């Protein structure tokens, strides 16, 4: 299993083969065993198989082809709604309409999602996380009819990989992310050493050239994840948290 995990890659193109309801149920059942805050399970998942419904979701994910092309799209949500209603029906007052609960629910939903993904890949499926989920959360809330105290956190496309498989994406060395006992801040020379291999990759060098930039970092900050967009989508998501009752 460890060897397979070392070889994992993100799958954005899927074979014309359905994911059985039995397999999906089992994978979600396994995922529900994941750790969570206080055993409250502050998460939900909306499973989308219907073609028209996937097409409705696609614009919220900037029309990335794998949304409509995957057999299954799963939207993982921070969900305090279910627990609050349970508490109410049992004569308990749950003070869960706050940011602390939202953060607990985010952690829970991501643990649930990642456990699902590991189980899915172990059973021959490919997955792709959609980092666009919080960008257009309001649209997803409307499409999926999410009630108060439910917010989409991430979405995952899943299906059997199409051939040929994509290349495995590069990762920074462990020295870049692991700290022993205390956090060791990064000097300029350390940054140079840790990012040298990433910057030297032919694909990344091509990204720099194609975008007319001087460094790979500028591709990330000036093209992919601009300050303007980060500020805009931050403001939009804060509005969502308020309208859904977490602020």
């Amino acid at each position: 299993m460890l060897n397979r995990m070392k070889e994992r890659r993100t799958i954005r193109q899927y074979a014309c083969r359905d994911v059985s309801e039995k397999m999906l149920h089992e994978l979600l059942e396994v995922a529900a065993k994941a750790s969570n805050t206080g055993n409250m399970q502050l998460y939900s998942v909306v499973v989308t198989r219907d073609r028209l419904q996937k097409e409705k979701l696609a614009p919220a994910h900037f029309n990335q082809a794998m949304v409509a092309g995957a057999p299954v799209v799963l939207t993982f949500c921070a969900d305090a709604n279910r627990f609050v209603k349970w508490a109410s029906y049992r004569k308990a007052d749950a003070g869960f309409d706050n940011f602390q609960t939202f953060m607990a629910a985010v952690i829970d939903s991501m643990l649930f999602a990642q456990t699902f993904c590991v189980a899915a890949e172990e059973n021959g499926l490919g997955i792709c996380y959609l980092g666009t989920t919080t960008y257009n959360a309001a649209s997803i809330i409307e499409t999926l009819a999410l009630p108060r105290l439910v917010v989409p956190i991430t979405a995952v496309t899943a299906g059997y990989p199409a051939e040929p498989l994509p290349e495995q994406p590069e990762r920074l060395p462990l020295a870049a992310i692991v700290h022993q006992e205390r956090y060791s801040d990064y000097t300029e020379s350390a940054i140079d050493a840790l990012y040298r291999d990433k910057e030297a990759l032919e694909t990344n060098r091509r990204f720099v050239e194609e975008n007319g930039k001087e460094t790979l970092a500028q591709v990330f900050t000036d093209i992919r994840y601009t300050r303007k967009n980060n500020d805009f989508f931050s403001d939009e998501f804060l509005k969502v948290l308020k309208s859904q009752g977490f602020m």
Side-chain angles (χ1 to χ4, degrees):
M1 181 179 180
L2 287 176
N3 287 334
R4 283 192 294 271
M5 291 176 73
K6 289 177 182 177
E7 295 299 320
R8 77 154 305 276
R9 59 206 68 206
T10 296
I11 301 299
R12 294 179 173 84
Q13 294 183 320
Y14 302 94
C16 295
R17 179 182 174 187
D18 193 25
V19 177
S20 73
E21 191 63 38
K22 179 181 178 182
M23 172 182 279
L24 189 61
H25 179 85
E26 184 175 19
L27 295 175
L28 290 169
E29 193 172 44
V30 168
K33 303 294 185 183
S35 300
N36 66 89
T37 305
N39 201 23
M40 293 183 288
Q41 292 183 271
L42 301 174
Y43 57 76
S44 289
V45 60
V46 180
V47 178
T48 303
R49 288 181 177 273
D50 181 75
R51 179 180 61 82
L52 292 178
Q53 189 73 339
K54 285 187 286 187
E55 289 177 354
K56 290 179 182 178
L57 281 173
H61 297 290
F62 302 108
N63 291 310
Q64 295 179 86
M66 61 271 198
V67 177
V72 184
V73 179
L74 302 102
T75 305
F76 294 89
C77 304
D79 183 353
N81 173 60
R82 182 185 61 252
F83 190 95
V84 167
K85 286 186 174 176
W86 174 63
S88 176
Y89 297 151
R90 298 298 184 270
K91 303 178 182 179
D93 180 21
F96 282 10
D97 52 348
N98 48 64
F99 190 67
Q100 173 61 38
T101 302
F102 172 70
M103 287 305 301
V106 169
I107 294 168
D108 283 7
S109 62
M110 288 305 303
L111 289 169
F112 179 52
Q114 181 59 17
T115 304
F116 169 85
C117 289
V118 172
E121 291 176 329
E122 184 63 17
N123 280 270
L125 299 182
I127 66 94
C128 179
Y129 271 102
L130 299 174
T132 47
T133 306
T134 56
Y135 287 17
N136 295 304
S139 174
I140 295 172
I141 287 168
E142 181 179 0
T143 300
L144 300 182
L146 303 182
R148 183 177 183 273
L149 296 179
V150 182
V151 173
I153 300 302
T154 192
V156 171
T157 59
Y160 291 95
E163 298 289 348
L165 293 177
E167 292 184 6
Q168 191 175 34
E170 89 280 356
R171 292 291 190 264
L172 292 173
L174 278 184
I177 58 177
V178 177
H179 301 260
Q180 301 294 342
E181 309 302 341
R182 298 179 64 183
Y183 192 100
S184 299
D185 208 353
Y186 304 97
T187 63
E188 184 176 354
S189 61
I191 291 293
D192 289 343
L194 295 171
Y195 280 84
R196 183 177 296 116
D197 289 346
K198 183 183 185 77
E199 292 173 331
L201 285 174
E202 179 58 33
T203 53
N204 288 337
R205 291 165 66 91
R206 189 167 64 250
F207 288 149
V208 175
E209 182 179 349
E210 289 173 349
N211 287 284
K213 293 299 177 181
E214 183 181 355
T215 68
L216 181 62
Q218 290 173 350
V219 175
F220 281 85
T221 62
D222 300 353
I223 306 295
R224 294 182 180 176
Y225 305 101
T226 66
R227 180 182 297 276
K228 179 181 177 180
N229 284 345
N230 286 339
D231 288 345
F232 174 79
F233 288 117
S234 292
D235 290 342
E236 291 299 301
F237 194 59
L238 287 172
K239 291 176 187 175
V240 166
L241 295 189
K242 185 174 182 178
S243 66
Q244 290 300 95
F246 278 115
M247 298 285 284

